[in-house]
């Protein structure tokens, strides 16, 4: 059995390496190449099959040794492990027997076959589809699509039954085991392209596995005699634990914090409107970013994107934007275009962090950035070049009158309450204020705790008041954003970080009455997430969702994943502190306490991560016909789940039974969370890169 354990461990390591490596292969060679050479190969499936077989052998050996009973905790374990077998079988059935392809329909022309994606062959169906009409719905007053819609007639050739159907984003046609998804359309809008999927058994088996896994995870959490419940009853949890080590530097904080308003430059007056006129124009409604919005939003987005701050030389955002629109000849000399990359600034001959618009053009009017945009030229500042080009383009749009558009007749205006809400949202830098407050108070409590060894009554009260105010304020911000956008704010990095900060604060408030050491950690971690969201707010903000994202499954998927990430972040900082304690003498008791605490949180964190991944798979299946496509973020989410699932098997892994080893393992494991959330977005791309 020891040999099988070693083989299983080796297979797990190989699988994790292959999965991680494949995401970089896809980045370099594309998804088709990666599927042909890795994901779709026989050896890839054999590798998974061997891993599953070895794991089952170990588990069956464990089942044989134990005394079988109908205890809920035992049953839940059996169902959980069986669910992964079901999911694997479902994936095998999908791979070997499922069909996926494309069908191209033109108006009034019946079609009963589709092109198989795998081999390019024509596959006939027992169904004939005829396109009646294709059309696009747009967001009011804009050319931004809100939905792509195909009205079709389908005819069952065997039963001779016909019916009308509407196929649109997240609204599929499902008949005779064939599912049809809106995929693309012809430029003349008289033809549509649908994705066809025929996989009734693979999807059914996989979904059964998902359901079994979710049920077993819930049973494990609530079963009175499960390992999770035993850990909750551990004596170490009846006493307060030690403080978390929270690594944060005042130097880092001070490098981010800037005063909201700069002093007015008395050396020269910049032509613009008065502040009173700016306030009046702030409420004027226009079309911007594919939606109806007050002019205030345009101005704040403009200034944040160009300058990176909320005001310029004492002028409001409205004054700055109107100044550019009215007198670009005067404003082109203002050094307000922020360039972060030092190499690019040096090459352009710009001193300081800011450039004027005229600095980007040579004397003969040549655009200096153009030579860097050439894809054949590679320099270290590629990303900075793209950002600078976007900023210059943003200014030119404003100067040419293309940044904002008047609302066409017949398009409904925003209510006055929505205008007011959006102006409040734009004007008050909630995330900036709150990340500063949370980090400052959290850091002070951390220092107090490390010096005194405990938090006294006044420190606890201070932490609780700060946390409560911050939670209420951010809940208000989240609610306003929800109200303004008309959707749950979970569609991009900024919104998910806000949700993560709220989750962390809620978890801290819920647990801190018994575990007071969570106060400084909760404040600092929520402060970090708010800091990240603040930095992400420098680019355009609220915009309509892509049509494919209009699904309630998206909100469930993202929120579940973000709660899991919040718990895993808590575990990570707990492990950091434990590792720091291990360098001191006579701290084994505290390390053991932290070991129990991390072990408890591992269960809901890993289970929520797994459920979130499964919800994402269902959403993907509803949205574009595949519940798993080995997209980089999917792959890294799976890597993360496998690694944390390993930590749940401490009883069978001797190395992880030693508290300090588990803490080290969990600290390293969090790098996969960072890669999944940040790394994929910035380095690998894919279908999830918008998040």
């Amino acid at each position: 059995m020891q040999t099988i354990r070693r083989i299983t461990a080796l297979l797990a390591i190989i699988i994790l390496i292959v999965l991680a490596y494949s995401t970089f292969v896809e980045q370099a060679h594309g998804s088709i190449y990666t599927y042909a050479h890795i994901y779709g190969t026989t050896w890839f499936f054999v590798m998974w099959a061997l891993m599953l077989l070895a794991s089952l052998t170990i588990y069956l050996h464990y089942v044989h040794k134990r005394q079988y009973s109908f205890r809920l905790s035992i049953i839940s374990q059996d169902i959980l492990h069986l669910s992964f077998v079901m999911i694997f079988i479902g994936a095998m059935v999908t791979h070997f027997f499922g069909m996926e392809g494309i069908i191209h329909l033109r108006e009034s022309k019946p079609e009963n076959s589709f092109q198989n994606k795998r081999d390019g062959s024509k596959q006939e169906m027992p169904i004939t589809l005829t396109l009646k009409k294709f059309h696009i719905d747009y967001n009011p007053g804009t050319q931004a699509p809100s939905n792509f819609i195909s009205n079709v007639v389908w005819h069952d050739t065997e039963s001779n039954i016909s019916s009308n159907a509407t196929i649109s984003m997240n609204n599929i046609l499902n008949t005779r085991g064939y599912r049809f998804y809106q995929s693309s359309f012809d430029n003349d809008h008289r033809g549509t392209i649908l994705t066809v999927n025929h996989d009734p058994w693979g999807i059914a088996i996989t979904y059964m596995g998902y359901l079994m896994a979710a049920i077993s995870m819930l049973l494990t959490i609530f079963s009175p005699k499960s390992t999770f419940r035993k850990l909750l009853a551990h004596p170490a949890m009846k006493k307060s634990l030690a403080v978390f080590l929270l690594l944060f530097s005042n130097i880092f904080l001070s490098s981010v914090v800037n005063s909201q308003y700069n002093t007015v430059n008395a050396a020269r007056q910049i032509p613009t409107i008065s502040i009173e006129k700016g306030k009046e124009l702030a409420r004027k409604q226009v079309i911007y970013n594919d939606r109806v919005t007050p002019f205030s939003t345009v101005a704040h987005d403009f200034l944040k994107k160009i300058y990176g701050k909320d005001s310029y030389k004492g002028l409001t955002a409205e004054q700055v934007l109107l100044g550019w629109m009215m007198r670009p000849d005067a404003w082109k000399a203002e050094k307000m275009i922020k360039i972060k990359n030092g190499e690019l600034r040096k090459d352009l001959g710009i001193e300081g962090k800011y450039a004027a618009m005229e600095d980007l053009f040579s004397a003969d009017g040549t655009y200096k950035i153009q030579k860097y945009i050439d894809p054949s030229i590679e320099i270290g500042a590629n990303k900075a070049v793209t950002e600078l080009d976007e900023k210059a383009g943003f200014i030119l749009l404003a100067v040419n009158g293309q940044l904002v558009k008047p609302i066409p007749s017949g398009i409904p205006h925003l209510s006055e309450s929505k205008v007011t809400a959006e102006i409040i949202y734009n004007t008050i830098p909630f995330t900036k204020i709150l990340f500063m407050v949370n980090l400052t108070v959290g850091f002070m409590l951390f220092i107090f705790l490390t010096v005194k060894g405990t938090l006294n009554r006044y420190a606890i009260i201070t932490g609780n008041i700060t946390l409560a105010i911050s939670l209420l304020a951010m809940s208000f911000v989240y609610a306003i954003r929800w109200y303004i956008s008309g959707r749950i704010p979970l569609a991009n990095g900024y919104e998910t970080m806000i949700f993560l900060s709220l989750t962390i604060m809620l978890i801290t408030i819920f647990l801190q009455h018994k575990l007071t050491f969570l106060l400084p950690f909760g404040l600092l971690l929520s402060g970090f997430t708010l800091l990240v969201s603040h930095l992400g707010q420098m680019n355009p903000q609220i915009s309509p969702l892509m049509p494919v994202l209009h699904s309630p499954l998206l909100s469930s998927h993202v929120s579940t994943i973000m709660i899991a990430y919040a718990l895993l972040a808590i575990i990570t900082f707990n492990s950091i502190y434990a590792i720091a304690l291990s360098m001191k003498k006579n701290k084994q008791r505290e390390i053991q306490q932290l070991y129990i605490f991390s072990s408890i949180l591992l269960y809901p964190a890993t289970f929520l991560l797994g459920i979130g991944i499964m919800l994402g798979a269902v959403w993907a299946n509803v949205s574009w016909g595949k519940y798993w496509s080995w997209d980089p973020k999917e792959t890294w989410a799976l890597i993360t789940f496998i690694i944390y699932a390993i930590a749940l098997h401490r009883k069978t892994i001797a190395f992880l039974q030693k508290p300090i080893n588990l803490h080290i393992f969990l600290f390293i494991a969090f790098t996969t969370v960072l890669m999944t959330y940040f790394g994929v977005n910035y380095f690998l791309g894919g279908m999830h890169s918008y998040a």
Side-chain angles (χ1 to χ4, degrees), residues 110-126:
E111 181 63 65
N112 69 340
S113 65
F114 66 90
Q115 184 179 19
N116 194 316
K117 275 189 176 180
R118 186 168 298 178
D119 56 15
S121 63
K122 281 282 187 179
Q123 300 287 333
E124 290 194 0
M125 306 178 295

mmCIF file of all heavy atoms in Angstrom, residues 110-126:
data_model
loop_
_atom_site.group_PDB
_atom_site.id
_atom_site.type_symbol
_atom_site.label_atom_id
_atom_site.label_comp_id
_atom_site.label_asym_id
_atom_site.label_seq_id
_atom_site.Cartn_x
_atom_site.Cartn_y
_atom_site.Cartn_z
ATOM 1 N N PRO A 110 -33.562 25.792 -45.342
ATOM 2 C CA PRO A 110 -33.506 24.707 -44.351
ATOM 3 C C PRO A 110 -32.121 24.052 -44.313
ATOM 4 O O PRO A 110 -31.438 23.953 -45.335
ATOM 5 C CB PRO A 110 -34.576 23.723 -44.842
ATOM 6 C CG PRO A 110 -35.435 24.512 -45.781
ATOM 7 C CD PRO A 110 -34.542 25.530 -46.413
ATOM 8 N N GLU A 111 -31.742 23.595 -43.114
ATOM 9 C CA GLU A 111 -30.449 22.936 -42.947
ATOM 10 C C GLU A 111 -30.612 21.810 -41.922
ATOM 11 O O GLU A 111 -31.176 22.008 -40.849
ATOM 12 C CB GLU A 111 -29.399 23.936 -42.473
ATOM 13 C CG GLU A 111 -28.006 23.342 -42.295
ATOM 14 C CD GLU A 111 -27.425 22.817 -43.594
ATOM 15 O OE1 GLU A 111 -27.179 23.638 -44.503
ATOM 16 O OE2 GLU A 111 -27.247 21.582 -43.693
ATOM 17 N N ASN A 112 -30.117 20.621 -42.239
ATOM 18 C CA ASN A 112 -30.247 19.480 -41.321
ATOM 19 C C ASN A 112 -28.911 18.807 -41.030
ATOM 20 O O ASN A 112 -28.854 17.659 -40.620
ATOM 21 C CB ASN A 112 -31.227 18.452 -41.888
ATOM 22 C CG ASN A 112 -30.675 17.750 -43.118
ATOM 23 O OD1 ASN A 112 -29.759 18.257 -43.761
ATOM 24 N ND2 ASN A 112 -31.232 16.594 -43.430
ATOM 25 N N SER A 113 -27.823 19.519 -41.243
ATOM 26 C CA SER A 113 -26.502 18.966 -40.928
ATOM 27 C C SER A 113 -25.611 20.058 -40.367
ATOM 28 O O SER A 113 -25.850 21.246 -40.568
ATOM 29 C CB SER A 113 -25.863 18.347 -42.177
ATOM 30 O OG SER A 113 -25.599 19.357 -43.143
ATOM 31 N N PHE A 114 -24.574 19.634 -39.649
ATOM 32 C CA PHE A 114 -23.616 20.593 -39.085
ATOM 33 C C PHE A 114 -22.206 20.078 -39.319
ATOM 34 O O PHE A 114 -21.987 18.885 -39.565
ATOM 35 C CB PHE A 114 -23.878 20.827 -37.595
ATOM 36 C CG PHE A 114 -23.647 19.623 -36.718
ATOM 37 C CD1 PHE A 114 -22.404 19.368 -36.156
ATOM 38 C CD2 PHE A 114 -24.686 18.737 -36.442
ATOM 39 C CE1 PHE A 114 -22.193 18.266 -35.341
ATOM 40 C CE2 PHE A 114 -24.488 17.628 -35.630
ATOM 41 C CZ PHE A 114 -23.241 17.388 -35.077
ATOM 42 N N GLN A 115 -21.247 20.974 -39.242
ATOM 43 C CA GLN A 115 -19.845 20.611 -39.439
ATOM 44 C C GLN A 115 -19.224 20.241 -38.097
ATOM 45 O O GLN A 115 -19.204 21.039 -37.160
ATOM 46 C CB GLN A 115 -19.071 21.777 -40.063
ATOM 47 C CG GLN A 115 -17.618 21.424 -40.383
ATOM 48 C CD GLN A 115 -16.882 22.579 -41.029
ATOM 49 O OE1 GLN A 115 -17.315 23.715 -40.927
ATOM 50 N NE2 GLN A 115 -15.771 22.286 -41.696
ATOM 51 N N ASN A 116 -18.740 19.020 -38.006
ATOM 52 C CA ASN A 116 -18.117 18.537 -36.778
ATOM 53 C C ASN A 116 -16.789 19.263 -36.549
ATOM 54 O O ASN A 116 -15.934 19.301 -37.444
ATOM 55 C CB ASN A 116 -17.882 17.030 -36.878
ATOM 56 C CG ASN A 116 -17.551 16.414 -35.539
ATOM 57 O OD1 ASN A 116 -16.761 16.947 -34.780
ATOM 58 N ND2 ASN A 116 -18.154 15.278 -35.267
ATOM 59 N N LYS A 117 -16.630 19.836 -35.355
ATOM 60 C CA LYS A 117 -15.404 20.590 -35.054
ATOM 61 C C LYS A 117 -14.177 19.685 -34.993
ATOM 62 O O LYS A 117 -13.066 20.115 -35.298
ATOM 63 C CB LYS A 117 -15.564 21.318 -33.715
ATOM 64 C CG LYS A 117 -16.258 22.652 -33.814
ATOM 65 C CD LYS A 117 -16.175 23.392 -32.481
ATOM 66 C CE LYS A 117 -16.779 24.785 -32.599
ATOM 67 N NZ LYS A 117 -16.710 25.518 -31.315
ATOM 68 N N ARG A 118 -14.395 18.446 -34.587
ATOM 69 C CA ARG A 118 -13.247 17.565 -34.355
ATOM 70 C C ARG A 118 -12.569 17.145 -35.652
ATOM 71 O O ARG A 118 -11.340 17.169 -35.765
ATOM 72 C CB ARG A 118 -13.699 16.340 -33.564
ATOM 73 C CG ARG A 118 -12.561 15.429 -33.131
ATOM 74 C CD ARG A 118 -13.056 14.417 -32.132
ATOM 75 N NE ARG A 118 -13.560 15.053 -30.931
ATOM 76 C CZ ARG A 118 -14.098 14.393 -29.916
ATOM 77 N NH1 ARG A 118 -14.210 13.096 -29.952
ATOM 78 N NH2 ARG A 118 -14.537 15.048 -28.844
ATOM 79 N N ASP A 119 -13.355 16.736 -36.642
ATOM 80 C CA ASP A 119 -12.737 16.248 -37.880
ATOM 81 C C ASP A 119 -13.207 16.973 -39.131
ATOM 82 O O ASP A 119 -12.788 16.648 -40.248
ATOM 83 C CB ASP A 119 -12.996 14.745 -38.035
ATOM 84 C CG ASP A 119 -14.469 14.395 -38.009
ATOM 85 O OD1 ASP A 119 -15.302 15.311 -38.157
ATOM 86 O OD2 ASP A 119 -14.792 13.208 -37.821
ATOM 87 N N GLY A 120 -14.099 17.977 -38.972
ATOM 88 C CA GLY A 120 -14.562 18.751 -40.111
ATOM 89 C C GLY A 120 -15.604 18.062 -40.964
ATOM 90 O O GLY A 120 -16.011 18.606 -42.005
ATOM 91 N N SER A 121 -16.043 16.879 -40.551
ATOM 92 C CA SER A 121 -17.016 16.130 -41.350
ATOM 93 C C SER A 121 -18.422 16.696 -41.178
ATOM 94 O O SER A 121 -18.720 17.397 -40.216
ATOM 95 C CB SER A 121 -17.009 14.658 -40.940
ATOM 96 O OG SER A 121 -17.412 14.522 -39.582
ATOM 97 N N LYS A 122 -19.300 16.359 -42.124
ATOM 98 C CA LYS A 122 -20.698 16.760 -42.056
ATOM 99 C C LYS A 122 -21.485 15.714 -41.273
ATOM 100 O O LYS A 122 -21.386 14.516 -41.544
ATOM 101 C CB LYS A 122 -21.282 16.907 -43.459
ATOM 102 C CG LYS A 122 -20.907 18.198 -44.163
ATOM 103 C CD LYS A 122 -21.735 19.360 -43.641
ATOM 104 C CE LYS A 122 -21.491 20.624 -44.446
ATOM 105 N NZ LYS A 122 -22.306 21.749 -43.955
ATOM 106 N N GLN A 123 -22.258 16.174 -40.295
ATOM 107 C CA GLN A 123 -23.064 15.285 -39.474
ATOM 108 C C GLN A 123 -24.538 15.621 -39.674
ATOM 109 O O GLN A 123 -24.957 16.751 -39.426
ATOM 110 C CB GLN A 123 -22.687 15.439 -37.988
ATOM 111 C CG GLN A 123 -21.245 15.127 -37.659
ATOM 112 C CD GLN A 123 -20.958 13.642 -37.712
ATOM 113 O OE1 GLN A 123 -21.840 12.817 -37.498
ATOM 114 N NE2 GLN A 123 -19.718 13.302 -38.030
ATOM 115 N N GLU A 124 -25.291 14.637 -40.126
ATOM 116 C CA GLU A 124 -26.719 14.871 -40.318
ATOM 117 C C GLU A 124 -27.470 14.742 -38.995
ATOM 118 O O GLU A 124 -27.072 13.985 -38.111
ATOM 119 C CB GLU A 124 -27.285 13.882 -41.343
ATOM 120 C CG GLU A 124 -26.808 14.150 -42.756
ATOM 121 C CD GLU A 124 -27.628 13.389 -43.787
ATOM 122 O OE1 GLU A 124 -28.563 12.657 -43.381
ATOM 123 O OE2 GLU A 124 -27.334 13.536 -44.985
ATOM 124 N N MET A 125 -28.583 15.482 -38.891
ATOM 125 C CA MET A 125 -29.406 15.480 -37.683
ATOM 126 C C MET A 125 -30.831 15.055 -38.030
ATOM 127 O O MET A 125 -31.267 15.222 -39.176
ATOM 128 C CB MET A 125 -29.446 16.891 -37.061
ATOM 129 C CG MET A 125 -28.111 17.521 -36.771
ATOM 130 S SD MET A 125 -28.318 19.188 -36.092
ATOM 131 C CE MET A 125 -29.071 20.045 -37.497
ATOM 132 N N PRO A 126 -31.564 14.550 -37.047
ATOM 133 C CA PRO A 126 -32.982 14.239 -37.274
ATOM 134 C C PRO A 126 -33.853 15.488 -37.154
ATOM 135 O O PRO A 126 -35.058 15.395 -36.957
ATOM 136 C CB PRO A 126 -33.294 13.242 -36.162
ATOM 137 C CG PRO A 126 -32.379 13.625 -35.055
ATOM 138 C CD PRO A 126 -31.104 14.098 -35.720
#
